[in-house]
């Protein structure tokens, strides 16, 4: 075991370096749909939740509420995400995809498939599956 500090032995550095590379690969594909990887992830999370509050989406995305609000602004501005009160007089807002949001999600899925295929071609299917499983096993503070 190495006790000496080095950038090449830093877990954070290795994960961030890989994340930047993978993010750039996916961003290149999502650009065809006019969205970012983060926006695609939000569209998926909202679609999978059906109707969900900000807290639920923030927890699913492992982000704080303020960051979520900033990330949602362009999606709401472009008409892809709609927020409406949970009930009469309620302050809790529920998020849903509009029809154009569903369409944008479909466009994004095609881009995602192409990005997934390119990534698997680069790293191999078994390594891609193993790495994803390992990363998803890291505790995030999300409720299980």
């Amino acid at each position: 075991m190495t006790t000496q500090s080095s950038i090449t032995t830093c877990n954070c550095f290795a994960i961030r370096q890989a994340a930047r590379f993978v993010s750039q690969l996916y961003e290149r594909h999502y650009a065809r749909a006019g969205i970012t990887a983060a926006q695609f992830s939000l569209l998926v999370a909202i679609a999978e939740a059906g109707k969900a509050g900000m807290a639920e989406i923030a927890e699913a995305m492992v982000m704080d509420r303020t960051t979520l609000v900033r990330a949602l602004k362009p999606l709401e501005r472009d008409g892809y995400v709609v927020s409406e009160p949970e009930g009469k007089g309620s302050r809790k807002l529920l998020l849903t995809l509009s029809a154009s949001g569903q369409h944008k999600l479909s466009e994004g899925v095609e881009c995602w498939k192409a990005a997934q295929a390119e990534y698997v071609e680069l790293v191999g299917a078994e390594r891609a599956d193993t790495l994803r499983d390992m990363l998803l096993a890291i505790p995030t503070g999300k409720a299980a």
Side-chain angles (χ1 to χ4, degrees), residues 27 30 35-76 80-82 95-98 101-102 104-105 108-109 112:
E27 292 287 355
Y30 290 128
I35 57 175
T36 66
Q39 290 171 332
F40 176 74
S41 296
L42 276 171
L43 292 172
V44 170
I46 293 166
E48 288 181 354
K51 273 192 174 184
M54 296 264 203
E56 293 88 358
I57 298 298
E59 183 179 337
M61 298 293 294
V62 190
M63 56 181 14
D64 62 64
R65 190 179 157 93
T66 303
T67 303
L68 175 61
V69 168
R70 276 195 313 268
L72 283 170
K73 282 189 188 290
L75 295 173
E76 289 179 308
Y80 303 141
V81 173
V82 177
L95 302 170
T96 57
L97 294 187
S98 66
Q102 291 284 352
K104 186 55 68 175
L105 176 59
V109 167
W112 173 79

